[in-house]
Amino acid sequence: MSSNSTPLQASAVINEAVKTLRAGGLVAFPTETVYGLGADARNPEAIRKIFTAKGRPSNHPVIVHLAAPEKFDVAQIDWAPLVSPWVRDLSDEALKIINAFWPGPLTLVFKRDKSVLDEITGGQDTVAIRAPAHPVAQELLRKFKGAVVAPSANRFGKVSPTSAADVRSEFEGMLDLMILDGGDCEVGIESTIIDLSSGDRAVLLRPGAITPSEIFAKTGIKVYQAGEDIKEGDISPRVSGSLQAHYAPTTPLRLYAPGRVLDALSEFPDIKSRVAVAVWDSESSLNEDGHPSAYFEEVPIPSDSAAFASRLYRFLRDLDQQDWDLILFPEPPAGEEWDGVRDRLQRACFGSGPSSSSHTSN
Ligand code: TXA
Ligand code: MG
């Protein structure tokens, strides 16, 4: 089954997607962050299909997506009865964070209820949950009347999809996948993940659009960086996004320091001839003296962090499709609002290149 290209999917198509989920099938759907590859969270066989489709190791946990009830005022949503079936100990602090940011691009990790399937948690004692804000995701979840587990709808280690066409190209020829089309994802990078499972402190596992200072500003709760002041011997949960190589294009990708494009090239002594250089749109031009044997083309990129995040994977995918020998991106500036894109760009560099698929990339 294929998607059509209207930006918001018609109800009849969503009804069909609900049937597919109920029958134990997979449905790709839009969220405000990236597209997800969804399955019924109470059906172990359906969940196993996700791992097969992605080529992802089965011990990597996946996120449970919940519907927000239809309310005119999100501030009035009572989240506790929706989250409770999945978790032990839903603390007041957790509810404070939920009330401030759900539905939205924020995933929270809790100690799991014993009914949560091992297929979801990778056998760990915790479960990750979020309520996506995208209207198509919300309608799908509400009509399904259950939770849907969904990793990003890409092959393991590859760039996450931010459009229905991206999802299609990931699984082309492998899987006859139903894809709901919700247009381009607005946030563009995966949700922020905060671990609340230790009970005593909130820990940032994956940076995203929602930052620790925003959480502090709205709730008064301090979010620690992973590894910050953690006692020795503590075991941090597995996050596949925290593996060094991830989100990787097959064209080599490197970052350059301000004004140092030629330094980035020196890593490649067998001079690359065609180089795409991303340049902040706030800067007029590189004014490079040029390079004797390389052809550069400048690609303007937004210098606002949210606008950049929203198009980062689009740039990586599109540039990867073109015939470049090397892609260069500027190092994102310092500042928490850049942490999410800096994290994704660094991993993309690490895993990039033609040999990225098997050994280094996860
Ligand atoms: O924005 C998002 O979060 C997207 C959309 C589709 O919702 N989903 C997404 O899923 O990024 P995925 O599977 O690509 O990344 C989820 C991350 C993985 O790195 C996984 O290891 C981590 O969440 N995760 C899931 N359950 C966890 C748990 N119990 N403890 C720690 N990390 C967990
Ligand atoms: Mg992913």
Side-chain angles (χ1 to χ4, degrees), residues 33 68 83 126 175 291 299 303 353:
T33 59
V83 182
T126 56
L175 190 64
H291 189 280
V299 181
S303 40

Side-chain angles (χ1 to χ4, degrees), residues 9 15 48 62 64 72 105 107 137 151 158 167 176 194 228 281 312 319 321 326 346 348 351 360:
Q9 202 80 62
N15 293 343
R48 282 195 288 267
V62 282
V64 173
F72 292 110
T107 297
K158 294 298 172 191
V167 179
D176 186 20
I194 307 287
E228 182 188 343
D281 59 10
L312 171 60
L319 290 169
Q321 291 305 305
L326 176 65
Q346 284 169 346
T360 54

Side-chain angles (χ1 to χ4, degrees), residues 34-35 54 56 150-161 190 206 240-241 246-247 313 362:
V34 299
Y35 276 69
K54 277 185 68 94
R56 186 185 201 180
S152 50
N154 51 282
R155 303 270 305 149
F156 189 51
K158 294 298 172 191
V159 178
S160 297
E190 301 83 351
R206 180 171 72 182
S240 76
H246 217 70
Y247 320 107
Y313 291 154
N362 277 292

